Every structure is written in structure tokens, then in C-alpha cells.
Amino acid sequence: MIFSRLFPFSIHIVKGHSMQPSINESDRVVVFNWAYLFSQPKSGDVVVFRGSDGRGYVKRIAAVTEKGEFLVEGDNKGDSRKLPPVRRSAIIGRVVGKY
Amino acid sequence: MSMKKLTGLFAAAMKKIEAVAKPTLVYAHCDVPCGIYEANTMTMAADTVNKMVEKIVELKAPGADPQQHRDFTNTVVRMTLTKEEWAQKCKQELLILWTDYFKDEHLAKFPDLHAKVWKATKLCSQAKRTVDLNVARQLKEAVAEIARIFAETKK
């Protein structure tokens, strides 16, 4: 996944239900890996990032902390649990489409 | 060209792209990070509520000009809406910690934890209903205290 940033776009298969109804399990999401080259992620953006366990996650940015880290959450509040704040460097790119 | 044909063409094209650029898995759930909690969001929410109350209190009453009146009403509505949203978020975050994170051993160490969370969530509701600096400050303090307890349990 770290090499994703070399290419402007990457495709990912979604596993899990926490982004329903926006993104369903097994949906493919298209990620623009260069979305934040010249701008900062902002609240409301759906992003793919590398979790502390090294795996890729797809979530929506809920807020930016005073330290400049990003609080993320799923759209499906019933299935979305707490995640630690995400650092800017862990964000791979912004989801720009799905199919 | 029919929609069905277009969809078929799109699917075929994406299949070819996927053959070259293999899709990788991304998780929309929290297998591993589940159980990792934080107190930043509720703290930020309580701060926002407090700030909104301060700003509403500081607002100058409009003059006779109807435009001033409209602007004033607009500002009050926006600030109140923000206060409402963040007070609800604060309550939600408190309840997540209360129901999902705090365990019996935490309660043994902090016997008044239930009362403190209960008071803080009540203050969230009170902050929604009122524009009261005292309530907003009490909420901020109550949330800070629970954040402190949360930090203690992490040591």
C-alpha cells in the first residue's frame, strides 16, 4: 500500500460494514493518492489510511485535533467503533469513486 | 446505447484495469483497533460548546436596522446549532467511554465514576437547553475530569 502514492489512483476492495450506506462491503473504491499533495485533508473527506496495525482502512474524517491529527469514523454509527487519531503521514488518499 | 450495455462495458473495462492494478483490501471496520479509545473528541466537543456560549453571550443586540436584525438572528442560529451538535457529540463520546471502555476495575479505583459520567451527560443536555456560561464551564470541567480519569486508567 505504501507504493500506492507513486501512482495517482489506486483501487481497493472494501471489507466491513462501518461505511454503510455510503460504501458497502465488497464495493471497489477508487482512491486519488495525490489528493493531498497541495492541500490538507478536511472534515467530511472519505480517506484511505494505514492503521497502526499496518492495514488499510477506509473512514470519514470527523474532525481535526489541535495537534493536527485526524479523528476518523464510519458512516454507519451502529457499527463504527473508536479509532485512534490518524496522523497526516498515514493518510494514503481520498476516495473519489466507487463501483 | 442502453444502460445495461454501458454497465457491461464499464464492468469489462474495470476488470481489465484491475488485472493490471490489483485492488488491495481496505477495512471498513475495526478488528484490531477496536478497544482503543480516546478522550480528545469529547474534550474538543465540550470546548466548542463553551466557546459557542461565550460567543453568543458576547453578541451585541442589533439596532433598529432590519438587516442588522437578520444578520444577528442568522449568527445566533448558527452558533446555537453548533452548540447543539457538539453537545450531542460530547454526550455520545461520554456514553461510548462509559458503556464500552470503563470496566469494573476502573470503577473500583474511581468509585464515583458513574456519578461523574451521569453528571457530565446531564450537563450536555443542560448546555443544549440553555445559554449559560456557568453550565458550559461546568461541562468543560466535568469532561476534563473524566478525561483525567481516562488518562489515569491508561497508566
Side-chain angles (χ1 to χ4, degrees):
Chain A
M1 182 164 288
I2 199 160
F3 299 111
S4 298
R5 288 175 190 170
L6 296 175
F7 305 99
F9 293 96
S10 55
I11 300 169
H12 306 273
I13 302 168
V14 176
K15 187 171 168 58
H17 304 275
S18 80
M19 285 302 286
Q20 283 178 340
S22 326
I23 302 171
N24 295 310
E25 168 125 38
S26 301
D27 275 355
R28 262 78 164 159
V29 288
V30 180
V31 174
F32 184 33
N33 301 319
W34 295 352
Y36 302 121
L37 276 183
F38 302 108
S39 65
Q40 287 296 315
K42 59 183 189 307
S43 292
D45 287 357
V46 178
V47 294
V48 164
F49 60 93
R50 202 170 50 256
S52 52
D53 57 342
R55 300 199 301 188
Y57 287 88
V58 57
K59 295 279 175 182
R60 191 180 295 278
I61 294 176
V64 186
T65 69
E66 283 178 4
K67 290 180 188 167
E69 294 179 325
F70 301 90
L71 300 175
V72 293
E73 63 183 14
D75 287 353
N76 181 358
K77 306 298 178 201
D79 188 42
S80 191
R81 297 288 298 275
K82 304 303 292 177
L83 284 165
V86 176
R87 288 193 312 275
R88 171 74 181 79
S89 59
I91 296 177
I92 307 290
R94 185 160 63 87
V95 173
V96 291
K98 64 159 190 174
Y99 59 95
Chain B
M1 192 180 288
S2 69
M3 186 55 88
K4 200 174 172 185
K5 203 164 183 181
L6 263 178
T7 311
L9 277 174
F10 177 75
M14 290 317 294
K15 216 169 191 174
K16 282 191 176 162
I17 291 172
E18 284 183 13
V20 182
K22 282 245 177 279
T24 55
L25 268 186
V26 286
Y27 292 85
H29 66 124
C30 325
D31 264 350
V32 175
C34 260
I36 301 174
Y37 298 88
E38 49 84 27
N40 295 337
T41 311
M42 68 176 189
T43 304
M44 189 165 70
D47 287 352
T48 306
V49 170
N50 189 57
K51 182 58 81 179
M52 285 305 113
V53 172
E54 281 177 6
K55 281 185 169 292
I56 294 169
V57 168
E58 282 167 9
L59 278 178
K60 284 189 181 133
D65 180 8
Q67 185 56 47
Q68 274 185 25
H69 229 277
R70 285 192 286 271
D71 289 344
F72 176 79
T73 308
N74 185 58
T75 306
V76 170
V77 168
R78 290 186 69 196
M79 287 174 177
T80 307
L81 186 63
T82 305
K83 175 169 76 71
E84 182 83 12
E85 280 174 5
W86 285 92
Q88 181 59 33
K89 188 147 190 87
C90 188
K91 190 197 280 187
Q92 186 189 335
E93 294 294 316
L94 282 162
L95 292 175
I96 288 171
L97 285 186
W98 193 28
T99 55
D100 295 356
Y101 172 74
F102 288 124
K103 306 278 184 306
D104 287 344
E105 60 261 35
H106 301 143
L107 201 58
K109 200 172 169 192
F110 303 97
D112 53 356
L113 184 61
H114 283 332
K116 282 182 172 166
V117 175
W118 185 70
K119 184 187 166 197
T121 51
K122 286 274 181 199
L123 282 166
C124 290
S125 303
Q126 214 178 332
K128 285 192 200 183
R129 289 197 306 272
T130 60
V131 181
D132 188 327
L133 280 172
N134 193 33
V135 169
R137 273 191 216 113
Q138 280 182 49
L139 172 63
K140 206 174 154 179
E141 285 164 15
V143 168
E145 172 63 6
I146 293 162
R148 186 192 65 77
I149 292 174
F150 173 78
E152 283 290 319
T153 64
K154 288 282 186 184
K155 284 179 186 169

